[in-house]
């Protein structure tokens, strides 16, 4: 049958009908182990009863009112996010790219208020910030930009995890107003910077009056073993964006701001028709409650450590495995050759994984993954890696 979907994705030959925790089932009731969670989205697993209940109950009452009125669930969600993050306020939208758009607008407004007419933002090589025009311009991957010039101006690109390059760039350009950076690069290959990278960026931002803007769209909501990855560094950013796991699959994005940055946007300056609607916010509130009640964020640390130490043991004789790295349940296994073919080979074994930056297998299992599922994941994948590199 001819598909009438724009072919923007190279899709795998499988369709899922339903899910249950870390399992997905196709129409023939074959089950697949999901070690990707819909790209870091379904951290509570599929069909979580608390999320299901929250959506059902809210949809019986009210799905949408627009932001012309106060929305109770949105107020509650903002309270909860502010408490958990140490930030001051929140703008709600519907995706990661939109959350970053809000951050980029904040930075530009910050510049204009200080008399900088052409404000620019420092961004990193291999970064990923989304597919809208501004966010793809901020993204450090030529493939994402190819064919879409003219790009949005005002981004200065430097290497990731390089403080000297950052300071040099700041000194060379009086128009720089902000740094936009992922605490761990996800799409760029699960790149984990030095432990004190964010602390040093924070100091530079303080010294030169720049906004530190952290893209926590993939790292946030417990994925790395803290609610937000910057909490490993005991710093606070000025702006922080979230999306992916926040609604466990119900679309929602958030741009959190603090201090002066939280006062930059006033009535009429930014908006979203759907952003923060009652349905999405109720789902997100349920997600945050479950994460707390079931201690899932602490479990991400312990499960991530187990998965990586067992993988390291199982693959220690395989000379084609360059590196196994992780923070919580954000895991990268880097090989010495392109390995995107592994995605299909794993699918044949009923395991869902992903490959980024051509040579890094990326695992983003749901935080609720259990020990048996962890063992199955390690068994299938280490055997596959050994066969693939033979
Ligand atoms: C996924 C992702 C985005 C884009 O989010 P969308 O919801 O797809 O727009 C932005 N930044 C990072 C770090 C991401 O992982």
């Amino acid at each position: 049958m001819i598909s009438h979907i724009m072919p923007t994705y190279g899709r795998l030959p499988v369709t899922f009908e339903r899910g249950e925790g870390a399992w997905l089932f196709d129409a023939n009731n074959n089950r697949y182990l999901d070690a990707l969670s819909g790209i870091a989205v379904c951290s509570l697993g599929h069909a979580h009863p608390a999320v299901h209940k929250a959506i059902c109950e809210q949809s019986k009452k009210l799905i949408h009112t627009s932001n012309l009125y106060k929305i109770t669930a949105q107020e509650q969600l903002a309270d909860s996010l502010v408490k958990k993050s140490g930030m001051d306020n929140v703008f709600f939208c519907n995706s990661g790219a939109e959350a970053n758009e809000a951050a980029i607008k904040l930075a530009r407004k910050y510049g204009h208020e200080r008399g900088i007419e052409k404000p620019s933002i420092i961004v990193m090589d291999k970064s990923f910030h989304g597919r809208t025009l501004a966010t793809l311009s901020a993204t450090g991957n030529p493939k994402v930009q190819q064919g879409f010039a003219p790009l949005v101006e005002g981004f200065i690109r430097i290497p990731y995890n390089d403080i000297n390059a950052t300071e040099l760039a700041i000194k060379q350009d009086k128009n720089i107003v902000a740094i936009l950076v992922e605490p761990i690069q996800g799409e760029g290959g699960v790149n984990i910077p030095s432990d004190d990278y964010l602390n040093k960026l924070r100091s530079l931002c303080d010294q030169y009056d720049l906004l530190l803007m952290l893209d926590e769209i993939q790292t946030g909501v417990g994925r790395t073993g803290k609610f937000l990855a910057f909490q490993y560094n005991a710093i606070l950013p000025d702006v922080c964006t979230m999306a992916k796991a926040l609604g466990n699959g119900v679309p929602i994005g958030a741009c959190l701001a603090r201090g002066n940055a939280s006062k930059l946007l006033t009535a009429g300056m930014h908006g979203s028709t759907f952003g923060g609607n009652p349905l999405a916010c109720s789902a997100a509130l349920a997600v945050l409650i479950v994460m707390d009640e079931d201690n899932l964020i602490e479990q991400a640390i312990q499960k991530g450590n187990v998965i990586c130490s067992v993988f390291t043991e199982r693959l220690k004789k395989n000379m084609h495995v360059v590196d196994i790295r992780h923070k919580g349940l954000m895991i990268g296994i880097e090989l010495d050759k392109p390995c995107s073919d592994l995605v299909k080979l794993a699918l044949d074994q009923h395991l869902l994984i992903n490959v980024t930056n051509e040579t890094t297998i990326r695992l983003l299992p749901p935080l609720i993954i259990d020990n048996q599922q962890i063992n199955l994941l390690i068994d299938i994948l280490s055997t596959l890696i050994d066969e693939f590199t033979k």
Side-chain angles (χ1 to χ4, degrees), residues 164-183:
N164 290 337
T166 313
E167 182 151 27
L168 196 66
I170 297 169
K171 282 181 176 161
Q172 279 172 351
D173 189 343
K174 289 271 167 288
N175 288 331
I176 289 172
V177 294
I179 299 174
L180 173 63
V181 60
E182 295 154 88

Side-chain angles (χ1 to χ4, degrees), residues 95-97 100 128-130 182 187 215 217-218 244:
S95 68
N100 284 337
F128 183 80
H129 299 296
E182 295 154 88
E187 304 306 303
D215 179 342
I217 289 161
Q218 190 159 148
K244 292 202 162 92

Side-chain angles (χ1 to χ4, degrees), residues 125-128 140-144 160 182 185-192 218 322-323 325 331-341 343 354-363:
D125 286 335
K126 291 192 182 166
S127 61
F128 183 80
N141 178 350
K143 273 193 210 156
V144 171
Y160 188 58
E182 295 154 88
Q185 290 185 329
E187 304 306 303
V190 192
N191 304 321
I192 305 177
Q218 190 159 148
V322 177
D323 190 24
R325 52 184 176 264
I331 302 165
I333 302 175
E334 187 178 341
L335 305 188
D336 64 357
K337 62 171 182 174
C339 59
S340 44
D341 290 349
V343 173
N354 177 246
V355 169
T356 62
N357 199 29
E358 289 178 9
T359 53
T360 300
I361 300 159
R362 177 173 51 162
L363 305 176

Side-chain angles (χ1 to χ4, degrees), residues 50-119:
V51 178
H52 161 78
K53 185 164 170 252
I55 295 171
C56 282
E57 287 183 357
Q58 187 57 50
S59 71
K60 278 187 215 158
K61 291 190 274 182
L62 200 56
I63 291 178
H64 177 86
T65 60
S66 89
N67 285 297
L68 298 176
Y69 316 100
K70 266 201 168 192
I71 297 170
T72 307
Q74 190 184 120
E75 302 281 342
Q76 290 169 342
L77 181 59
D79 281 354
S80 182
L81 289 175
V82 159
K83 276 204 194 88
K84 287 176 180 300
S85 65
M87 304 297 282
D88 288 334
N89 59 16
V90 189
F91 171 82
F92 286 109
C93 49
N94 314 288
S95 68
E98 276 180 79
N100 284 337
E101 287 276 345
I104 292 164
K105 281 180 73 172
L106 268 177
R108 288 201 169 178
K109 188 73 184 18
Y110 176 73
H112 284 282
E113 291 207 347
R114 301 161 78 220
I116 298 172
E117 268 175 46
K118 290 199 159 191

